[in-house]
Amino acid sequence: MPADIDGLSLSFWILAVVTVGAAVAVVATRNIFRAAIYLVLSFVTIAALYLTLSAEFLAAVQILIYAGAIAVLLIFGIMLTREQRAGSPSGRLSFPALGVAGLVAFALTFVILGSRWNVSQAPLPADNTVAIADALFNQFVLPFELASVLLLAAIIGAIVLVRGSKE
Amino acid sequence: MWDTITNLLPLVGAALHDFLYGFLPGWLAYLLLGFIFIVILLVSILNTVLAFIWLERRGISRFQVRLGPDRVGPMGLLQPIADAVKLMTKEDIVPAGGDRAVHYLAAVLVFVPALLVFAVLPFAPGVVFADLNIGILYIIAIGSVGVIGVFMGGWASNNKYSLMGAMRAVAQMVSYEVPMVLSVIGVVMVAQSLSLEHIVQAQELPFILLQPLGFFIYFAAASAELNRTPMDLLEAESEIIAGYHVEYSGMKFALFFLAEYANALAVSIIVSTLFLGGWKLPLVPPYIALPLKIFAVFGLMLWIRSTLPRLRVDQLMGFAWKGLLPIALLNIFITGGELLIFKGYPSWLALVNIPLAALILFIWSRLFTIKIRATATSARPAPSARNV
């Protein structure tokens, strides 16, 4: 670590420790409801990490989508399962799962450390919300629209599946 | 002279800033300044909430032709204070078998987002804690976190009524968030900015005239998010006692209660800011204009609350997904089309948009009715199909 620890890098390390700690707690906690709450914590700290990178649009969207919608859906799902107070029972697959997860973690670390990360020399846009909008709706409008059509198809598919057959 | 009056708060703030930085080290002055402003904000929120509670209890009594609380102080003005003292001296109970830590955390997690929203609200020209350039998005994002607190409270109470209330809360709040966000997009498109300060400045004409449909959708969805009476299914007293906070007492209940009214205050300010021109009002200084609008919006909420009966669950969900969502999408489409054709948003479009909004709402209410499934087992006659 560099000797000159300023406020930003200090907050980065605090947030990083909390994020990783919360993520570990999600897996390690027996109580599945508390695990979901730890997951929310890690979502929020990731949003805070975005804030320290002055990506406030991304941070707000992270909170809105992950903490506000996805986490709530997860908790809703937990509520609808039986025996949620007992937590997840330990299955026979825990050791194979550990092996696979370790392998994935190893591969990801290897890739992240091994690849060359290009740093853009362009100056930061003054208002990065405008920059994101410009990129999404002018520069990459076709992929953006394709993704939205895909999502729409998924939504309609989900509705059709849930409706079931009606006589 | 007039400028000094309008800019009173920024001037005082700047003077305080200079004074503190004059003799304190930078970080201490920073913290102290933040602390002072947070105390000011908290005190004004609490006082307005007390006023709201009094207004609500007395106002609803008026609507229901009864007196309401009139014993404590003149016209019952001190009743909210007496209630606050009573709440704070109550015993704090965590139900047996409940999750103690989550039970505590829930009350905090409901209250904190309610406060955080105030950070970006403009109270007068230049009087805003943080003029974020994503202002309205920030409000929506923070607002979506509160529902987790509600769910935690319902779950940690180890009570089936609490859990049922929490389940209803999540279904309702997640559903109504969608039309609420979409209705704001119309305003953002016209103002060309997400910052609330810019949105206020963009309003030559209040946006309620330019975006009447957006106002209707936002108001309906926001009162569902606030769980106020036509849509207070999650605490429907006659069905599930009080919903997610049945098992709360003392200060923790007070936090839930405060958060509810702080949210109502926040929504009143947001509606005033987005649709009624914020602190702008001809001939009236901003410090009077905004409170006038806030109390007008809150009065409208009271009026609706005491007029309409509570919706059924299926009506509530239908209203969000089949009623508000399509109109919200239509509103974005119309606004976008108008922006594209006129290369801007001239004020005379109000003359087009108001009849158009009325027409759309009328047609939609005719086209769209909720079907009542006649069940063989139910003994009581099925209520007639109602328009929503």
Side-chain angles (χ1 to χ4, degrees):
Chain A
M1 254 201 310
D4 54 327
I5 294 182
D6 54 354
L8 265 184
S9 56
L10 186 70
S11 61
F12 168 78
W13 284 109
I14 294 173
L15 288 171
V17 168
V18 174
T19 309
V20 174
V24 170
V26 172
V27 188
T29 317
R30 273 256 168 264
N31 185 329
I32 196 165
F33 188 82
R34 285 196 173 189
I37 293 168
Y38 281 120
L39 189 65
V40 174
L41 178 62
S42 75
F43 286 154
V44 172
T45 46
I46 287 173
L49 276 176
Y50 289 147
L51 268 188
T52 61
L53 299 171
S54 57
E56 65 274 352
F57 181 80
L58 208 56
V61 170
Q62 162 86 12
I63 298 251
L64 182 64
I65 308 275
Y66 283 92
I70 289 185
V72 169
L73 281 183
L74 268 176
I75 297 174
F76 209 72
I78 292 170
M79 290 288 129
L80 294 176
T81 54
R82 287 176 302 135
E83 307 279 328
Q84 79 265 21
R85 283 190 182 273
S88 51
S90 52
R92 279 173 301 138
L93 286 174
S94 54
F95 278 103
L98 185 69
V100 173
L103 217 61
V104 172
F106 179 74
L108 276 178
T109 319
F110 187 72
V111 169
I112 289 171
L113 290 179
S115 52
R116 282 183 44 169
W117 298 94
N118 293 320
V119 179
S120 165
Q121 298 300 323
L124 264 178
D127 189 345
N128 65 39
T129 312
V130 175
I132 288 174
D134 190 49
L136 277 185
F137 292 106
N138 289 334
Q139 225 177 323
F140 303 109
V141 68
L142 197 65
F144 178 75
E145 291 296 330
L146 275 178
S148 60
V149 169
L150 185 69
L151 287 175
L152 186 67
I155 292 171
I156 294 172
I159 293 172
V160 169
L161 282 178
V162 167
R163 270 175 73 97
S165 58
K166 247 184 196 170
E167 72 265 42
Chain B
M1 182 62 199
W2 185 249
D3 278 354
T4 324
I5 293 175
T6 0
N7 293 322
L8 194 63
L9 269 180
L11 286 177
V12 171
L16 193 66
H17 178 271
D18 292 344
F19 173 71
L20 284 179
Y21 273 89
F23 67 94
L24 287 174
W27 60 274
L28 191 62
Y30 184 80
L31 284 183
L32 201 61
L33 207 62
F35 183 72
I36 290 172
F37 282 127
I38 288 169
V39 168
I40 293 173
L41 181 71
L42 259 180
V43 168
S44 31
I45 291 176
L46 289 183
N47 278 319
T48 322
V49 164
L50 289 184
F52 272 13
I53 294 173
W54 179 82
L55 205 68
E56 173 144 22
R57 295 189 65 180
R58 293 288 290 188
I60 288 204
S61 306
R62 252 317 150 78
F63 278 113
Q64 296 170 344
V65 204
R66 59 187 172 87
L67 283 175
D70 66 342
R71 296 289 111 178
V72 193
M75 298 189 296
L77 265 174
L78 297 178
Q79 183 70 42
I81 297 169
D83 285 346
V85 172
K86 184 196 76 176
L87 271 182
M88 275 185 265
T89 49
K90 263 189 175 177
E91 188 189 354
D92 178 53
I93 299 168
V94 180
D99 193 327
R100 182 170 283 271
V102 178
H103 196 260
Y104 268 96
L105 204 57
V108 178
L109 212 65
V110 168
F111 187 61
V112 169
L115 279 190
L116 282 178
V117 166
F118 288 90
V120 295
L121 296 175
F123 297 104
V127 184
V128 56
F129 285 90
D131 183 22
L132 290 184
N133 64 13
I134 52 159
I136 188 67
L137 188 67
Y138 167 87
I139 288 177
I140 292 165
I142 294 291
S144 69
V145 177
V147 66
I148 296 175
V150 169
F151 216 135
M152 284 162 68
W155 182 80
S157 298
N158 192 25
N159 176 322
K160 68 182 88 156
Y161 294 112
S162 300
L163 193 59
M164 240 186 281
M167 298 279 266
R168 287 184 177 191
V170 174
Q172 175 174 337
M173 287 162 109
V174 169
S175 307
Y176 276 90
E177 218 165 79
V178 180
M180 195 172 83
V181 174
L182 291 179
S183 69
V184 169
I185 289 179
V187 170
V188 172
M189 281 161 81
V190 177
Q192 301 277 312
S193 174
L194 288 164
S195 149
L196 288 166
E197 186 95 24
H198 284 244
I199 290 176
V200 171
Q201 260 140 25
Q203 296 184 54
E204 300 293 325
L205 208 62
F207 280 163
I208 186 176
L209 300 174
L210 291 173
Q211 287 280 325
L213 210 52
F215 172 77
F216 172 78
I217 299 161
Y218 185 86
F219 198 79
S223 38
E225 292 267 304
L226 288 176
N227 316 315
R228 297 190 64 80
T229 281
M231 302 160 177
D232 67 340
L233 279 160
L234 61 163
E235 45 188 270
E237 294 92 342
S238 48
E239 298 162 24
I240 49 174
I241 318 176
Y244 60 93
H245 56 56
V246 179
E247 296 286 3
Y248 279 86
S249 64
M251 199 56 212
K252 279 190 284 181
F253 176 75
L255 280 182
F256 275 111
F257 199 66
L258 268 177
E260 200 179 314
Y261 280 90
N263 276 326
L265 173 61
V267 165
S268 305
I269 301 179
I270 296 167
V271 169
S272 313
T273 307
L274 290 183
F275 296 102
L276 303 178
W279 36 260
K280 276 187 183 175
L281 197 66
L283 299 176
V284 181
Y287 302 114
I288 300 172
L290 187 64
L292 275 180
K293 288 174 184 175
I294 292 171
F295 278 97
V297 174
F298 188 70
L300 184 60
M301 281 187 212
L302 271 188
W303 194 357
I304 293 172
R305 173 179 173 165
S306 48
T307 309
L308 295 176
R310 183 181 299 141
L311 294 168
R312 262 195 344 254
V313 176
D314 59 329
Q315 289 173 335
L316 188 86
M317 299 310 272
F319 185 51
W321 290 107
K322 303 180 199 162
L324 291 180
L325 183 64
I327 328 179
L329 288 173
L330 201 62
N331 185 44
I332 293 178
F333 189 71
I334 293 172
T335 312
E338 283 168 344
L339 275 171
L340 212 62
I341 293 170
F342 301 111
K343 309 275 179 226
Y345 220 76
S347 296
W348 57 261
L349 271 176
L351 297 176
V352 182
N353 279 357
I354 293 172
L356 196 64
L359 188 70
I360 289 171
L361 286 179
F362 179 75
I363 293 175
W364 208 256
S365 66
R366 293 287 110 185
L367 278 179
F368 164 69
T369 54
I370 287 181
K371 285 195 205 96
I372 305 294
R373 273 176 307 193
T375 44
T377 49
S378 82
R380 65 200 165 88
S384 59
R386 280 183 45 186
N387 297 328
V388 171

